[in-house]
Amino acid sequence: MNEAAGKVAPFYAVELNRIANERQRRGLPVIHMEVGQPSAGAPAAAIEAGHRALRDCPQGYWESGALAERLAHLYRERYGLPVDPSQILLTMGASAALVLTIAVLFARGARVAVPRPGYPAHRNVLHALGLVPLELDCGSETRFQPTAAMIRALDPAPAGLILTSPSNPTGTMLPEAELRAITAACRERDIRIISDETYHGIIYGPRAHSMLEYGPDAVVVNTFSKYWCMTGWRLGWAVVPAPLVDVMRRFAGNLFLVPPTLSQHVALAAMDHAAELDGHVATYATNRRLLMAALPALGITHIAPADGAFYLYADVGHLTHDSLQWCRDLLDATGVALNTGKDFDSVHGGRFIRISFAVSTDETAQAIESLGRWLEARKRA
Amino acid sequence: MNEAAGKVAPFYAVELNRIANERQRRGLPVIHMEVGQPSAGAPAAAIEAGHRALRDCPQGYWESGALAERLAHLYRERYGLPVDPSQILLTMGASAALVLTIAVLFARGARVAVPRPGYPAHRNVLHALGLVPLELDCGSETRFQPTAAMIRALDPAPAGLILTSPSNPTGTMLPEAELRAITAACRERDIRIISDETYHGIIYGPRAHSMLEYGPDAVVVNTFSKYWCMTGWRLGWAVVPAPLVDVMRRFAGNLFLVPPTLSQHVALAAMDHAAELDGHVATYATNRRLLMAALPALGITHIAPADGAFYLYADVGHLTHDSLQWCRDLLDATGVALNTGKDFDSVHGGRFIRISFAVSTDETAQAIESLGRWLEARKRA
């Protein structure tokens, strides 16, 4: 057995999602704010392209050169970055891109720093692949993000650092100056950066910067799941520094072969329909404003300053130190499904909740009302 | 960098496939017998189900309970085995099932035995995940399969053994008595068996036995790619012993999340259309007969006795000791693309070729004719 098997935790979000789905099957209403999944699907025109590809194209092993080119173009459009299509490695979701990148970059037993709170699969994949996650305790004073000072203080230097900006669960972004400083610190200390840019495209303020603007030797992982609303299509990619392309392709061919063929057709079409997708982001922005206005009035005042993604990470330590049970109770009483911070932070997570607002604005308003009534009733109880 | 990076080899099949595709783009004819991919696609009715699901079903994260149940039923139908649907773990192809199984079962640095010749991803995934593949030299005297005696002779005992029956590249199957004996040897020595049953369903003689009939503690990996002709859909599964279900699910959730949603809909429909799929197997059987009759007349007499899969593995050591160059030359001269044995056997593979006959019978006949003319011309040259 893998000696780290006990360290790979299940997602509480999955448990809460299961309870929510059972509730729904019993005919009770549910608002799904527990999982990181847009309630919208891929653009209608992309689904049409899917029908056409299903009718006209063979569904054999395939890597879409056109999609790699289109993604390389995205880096020019979004960030002004020259990326060659050969540097784009299509993968089965950001998950496979991450597994692949970690498997290639590090020797077994190496230490890789990850922010806490952070996406649990980052530390769990490190455990699963025989590496040692080094959690960086990131509190509200640094916007729940690591700093160059934290990186410099690590002794000995880790082999790698995984960054997520905007972050899951907090939605906070690393400021440009900090991105620059972190890159410099990592370069000095020979720390390889993996930048998980899953939430780029879902931004509420100034544009997101790619780590590649500062550190061209970083590996970027990304996905069609979030901005493009294509979770179940399982398609992502890595942007690979030229010197690593050959070894990454060799590993990809052995570990995974190629990503799903039809998903590549659909994604290519989806990339031409930004208007529909930006409409979803506008909905998230409205939902975010509603929540940011309403939660303080309900006594939830410590909320991470989310610059992007579709999450609010809120401190509910004045209400509970067991936010998993709190979420179960809320779901049971109201049908509003949120997630516990324990998925993201094994130390302080019991004081936190994550609210995913990639739902409709009506649902957001209903959730606020239900939460308010429930909190009021608990106060009286 | 992963210290084993240099040991993870690229597939020669991919190189030969690239040359073949370039040739095709230049308008020259090609017969693709270099890759392990059926030339047919999923059943027509399954594609129709795909259109329906694309129209009517959300394409979010999803695990099909119905598909797990249908697969559990397959083990009752095919092998008379009681498998609970909870033991079926749906994955992104057999590739992800294998990565997952290896990541869960073994401590880093553990030794895992694999037959040589064998599917290259088996040993390469072991390298990539920090394990040590232990190649078992399997020649024609044991039908290119390992034996219980070989397992017993390993000192110290390895932590695991990967079996593939029918084998890729040879198509040979382990006889029932040997399956039983290997299971006993592994049980005695506490060796965990991973059984890659990718080619079950494509059998030319007596039915294939699942390793689970003998060793219920084995992990079986399988895929919709081959019998169901769904390569580009990237859907496979693992059958997991009950005590491992929890840890396998935790790893799967972290490493991969879930497999593609639409693929699950299509696969479920495909499972009801065995007649169309068995028709393809009948074509392979015809192609196999043609090749087995024709090759000896062309001087290729040492062919592995393929019981299943859609490969012939032939010794061409009397013609070349560099079968990669030989395949390049054949492709260049005739458009017939075969694969070198070097993908499967780094020691003796230069004497071998693998012929994938999952093509039409017309193509098979043409390939035989072209190969014959080419060999004749070379003899005269």
Side-chain angles (χ1 to χ4, degrees):
Chain A
M1 182 74 75
N2 184 326
E3 60 274 34
K7 294 178 181 160
V8 176
F11 292 169
Y12 295 110
V14 171
E15 181 197 326
L16 290 160
N17 181 244
R18 198 181 50 237
I19 299 173
N21 290 340
E22 274 162 23
R23 205 184 134 87
Q24 233 165 349
R25 270 192 293 275
R26 294 202 310 273
L28 296 168
V30 167
I31 301 178
H32 284 288
M33 304 174 97
E34 79 282 25
V35 283
Q37 171 157 261
S39 60
I47 296 292
E48 274 318 301
H51 282 293
R52 280 196 304 277
L54 199 46
R55 201 179 53 225
D56 302 334
C57 303
Q59 302 296 320
Y61 295 124
W62 188 56
E63 275 183 89
S64 168
L67 184 56
E69 276 180 34
R70 186 68 186 77
L71 283 167
H73 184 65
L74 181 77
Y75 285 82
R76 288 192 290 277
E77 282 177 336
R78 265 196 191 164
Y79 315 104
L81 280 169
V83 168
D84 192 84
S86 68
Q87 292 176 258
I88 303 285
L89 187 59
L90 300 170
T91 58
M92 295 188 273
S95 302
L98 182 78
V99 168
L100 185 62
T101 305
I102 290 175
V104 168
L105 287 184
F106 305 114
R108 298 319 86 175
R111 294 152 68 248
V112 176
V114 291
R116 184 185 67 220
Y119 180 50
H122 290 166
R123 70 169 183 274
N124 287 336
V125 169
L126 290 167
H127 279 307
L129 300 187
L131 296 146
V132 181
L134 203 67
E135 296 193 346
L136 305 173
D137 193 359
C138 303
S140 58
E141 65 287 358
T142 63
R143 304 168 55 83
F144 301 95
Q145 286 280 8
T147 62
M150 286 183 205
I151 310 301
R152 285 217 167 78
L154 295 172
D155 184 32
L161 167 66
I162 303 181
L163 295 174
T164 316
S165 174
S167 150
N168 176 8
T170 65
T172 57
M173 277 162 63
L174 281 161
E176 201 181 343
E178 199 62 55
L179 279 170
R180 211 181 287 277
I182 288 175
T183 315
C186 287
R187 195 171 292 130
E188 277 163 33
R189 310 195 71 200
D190 203 19
I191 300 169
R192 177 72 76 166
I193 297 175
I194 301 175
S195 180
D196 181 342
E197 302 184 352
T198 284
Y199 294 97
H200 281 216
I202 308 173
I203 305 293
Y204 307 109
R207 80 171 180 88
H209 291 273
S210 173
M211 182 47 73
L212 294 175
E213 296 174 48
Y214 312 99
D217 46 353
V219 176
V220 165
V221 304
N222 207 329
T223 172
F224 283 95
S225 289
K226 310 298 174 173
Y227 172 71
W228 285 278
C229 300
M230 287 179 57
T231 50
W233 294 90
R234 314 307 299 120
L235 186 63
W237 71 92
V239 189
V240 181
L244 290 174
V245 165
D246 172 61
V247 62
M248 286 281 282
R249 290 203 169 269
R250 277 189 282 124
F251 271 63
N254 280 286
L255 293 171
F256 301 123
L257 297 175
V258 285
T261 294
L262 194 65
S263 302
Q264 298 176 66
H265 287 289
V266 172
L268 184 60
M271 292 191 76
D272 287 333
H273 295 277
E276 184 173 336
L277 299 164
D278 289 338
H280 300 321
V281 178
T283 301
Y284 309 154
T286 304
N287 300 350
R288 177 174 167 277
R289 266 199 310 276
L290 287 179
L291 284 160
M292 296 287 266
L295 292 175
L298 304 181
I300 299 174
T301 52
H302 289 78
I303 305 169
D307 309 298
F310 36 61
Y311 306 119
L312 287 184
Y313 195 62
D315 188 340
V316 292
H318 59 298
L319 301 170
T320 184
H321 284 196
D322 181 358
S323 57
L324 175 59
Q325 190 54 47
W326 191 90
C327 286
R328 286 193 195 112
D329 292 344
L330 172 68
L331 174 55
D332 191 48
T334 66
V336 176
L338 308 181
N339 192 19
T340 168
K342 291 170 79 170
D343 262 344
F344 313 99
D345 183 339
S346 57
V347 178
H348 312 293
R351 299 173 51 97
F352 286 86
I353 54 169
R354 188 194 70 174
I355 305 173
S356 173
F357 52 79
V359 295
S360 72
T361 299
D362 273 0
E363 287 178 305
T364 305
Q366 279 173 44
I368 290 169
E369 202 186 306
S370 297
L371 177 63
R373 273 204 307 263
W374 182 72
L375 287 172
E376 195 54 43
R378 267 166 88 96
K379 219 183 289 173
R380 287 197 307 267
Chain B
M1 182 74 73
N2 184 325
E3 60 275 33
K7 293 178 181 160
V8 176
F11 292 170
Y12 294 110
V14 171
E15 181 197 325
L16 290 160
N17 180 242
R18 198 179 51 236
I19 299 173
N21 290 340
E22 274 162 23
R23 205 184 134 87
Q24 233 164 350
R25 271 193 292 274
R26 294 202 310 272
L28 296 168
V30 167
I31 301 177
H32 284 287
M33 304 175 96
E34 80 282 25
V35 284
Q37 171 158 261
S39 60
I47 297 292
E48 275 317 303
H51 282 293
R52 280 196 304 278
L54 199 46
R55 200 179 53 225
D56 303 334
C57 303
Q59 302 295 320
Y61 295 125
W62 187 57
E63 274 183 88
S64 168
L67 184 56
E69 276 180 33
R70 186 68 186 79
L71 283 168
H73 184 66
L74 181 77
Y75 284 82
R76 288 192 290 278
E77 282 178 334
R78 265 195 192 164
Y79 315 104
L81 280 169
V83 169
D84 191 85
S86 67
Q87 292 175 258
I88 304 285
L89 187 60
L90 300 170
T91 57
M92 296 189 272
S95 301
L98 182 78
V99 168
L100 186 61
T101 304
I102 290 175
V104 168
L105 287 184
F106 306 114
R108 297 319 85 175
R111 294 151 69 248
V112 177
V114 291
R116 183 185 68 219
Y119 180 49
H122 290 165
R123 71 168 183 274
N124 286 336
V125 169
L126 290 168
H127 279 307
L129 300 188
L131 296 147
V132 181
L134 203 67
E135 295 193 347
L136 304 173
D137 193 359
C138 304
S140 59
E141 64 288 357
T142 63
R143 304 167 56 81
F144 300 95
Q145 287 280 9
T147 63
M150 286 183 205
I151 310 301
R152 286 218 167 78
L154 295 172
D155 185 31
L161 167 66
I162 303 181
L163 294 174
T164 315
S165 173
S167 149
N168 176 9
T170 66
T172 58
M173 277 161 63
L174 281 160
E176 199 180 346
E178 200 62 55
L179 278 171
R180 211 180 288 277
I182 289 176
T183 315
C186 287
R187 195 172 291 132
E188 276 163 33
R189 310 195 71 199
D190 202 19
I191 300 169
R192 177 72 76 164
I193 297 175
I194 300 176
S195 180
D196 181 341
E197 301 183 353
T198 284
Y199 295 97
H200 281 215
I202 308 172
I203 305 293
Y204 307 108
R207 79 171 181 89
H209 291 274
S210 173
M211 182 48 73
L212 294 175
E213 296 174 47
Y214 312 99
D217 47 354
V219 176
V220 166
V221 303
N222 206 329
T223 174
F224 283 95
S225 290
K226 310 299 175 173
Y227 173 71
W228 285 279
C229 300
M230 289 179 57
T231 50
W233 294 90
R234 312 309 297 123
L235 186 64
W237 71 92
V239 189
V240 181
L244 290 175
V245 166
D246 173 60
V247 62
M248 285 282 281
R249 290 203 171 270
R250 277 188 281 124
F251 271 62
N254 280 286
L255 293 172
F256 301 124
L257 298 175
V258 285
T261 294
L262 193 67
S263 303
Q264 299 176 63
H265 287 289
V266 172
L268 184 60
M271 292 191 77
D272 287 332
H273 295 278
E276 184 173 336
L277 298 164
D278 289 338
H280 300 321
V281 178
T283 301
Y284 308 153
T286 304
N287 299 351
R288 177 173 167 278
R289 266 198 309 275
L290 287 179
L291 284 160
M292 296 287 266
L295 291 176
L298 304 181
I300 298 173
T301 51
H302 289 79
I303 305 168
D307 309 298
F310 36 61
Y311 305 118
L312 287 184
Y313 195 62
D315 188 339
V316 292
H318 59 297
L319 300 171
T320 184
H321 283 197
D322 181 358
S323 57
L324 174 59
Q325 191 54 47
W326 191 90
C327 285
R328 287 193 195 113
D329 292 344
L330 173 68
L331 174 54
D332 191 48
T334 67
V336 176
L338 307 180
N339 192 18
T340 167
K342 290 170 80 171
D343 263 345
F344 313 100
D345 182 340
S346 57
V347 179
H348 311 294
R351 299 174 52 98
F352 287 86
I353 54 169
R354 188 193 71 174
I355 305 172
S356 173
F357 52 80
V359 295
S360 71
T361 299
D362 272 359
E363 286 177 306
T364 305
Q366 278 172 46
I368 290 168
E369 201 186 307
S370 296
L371 177 63
R373 271 204 306 264
W374 182 71
L375 286 172
E376 195 55 44
R378 267 168 87 95
K379 220 184 288 173
R380 285 198 307 268

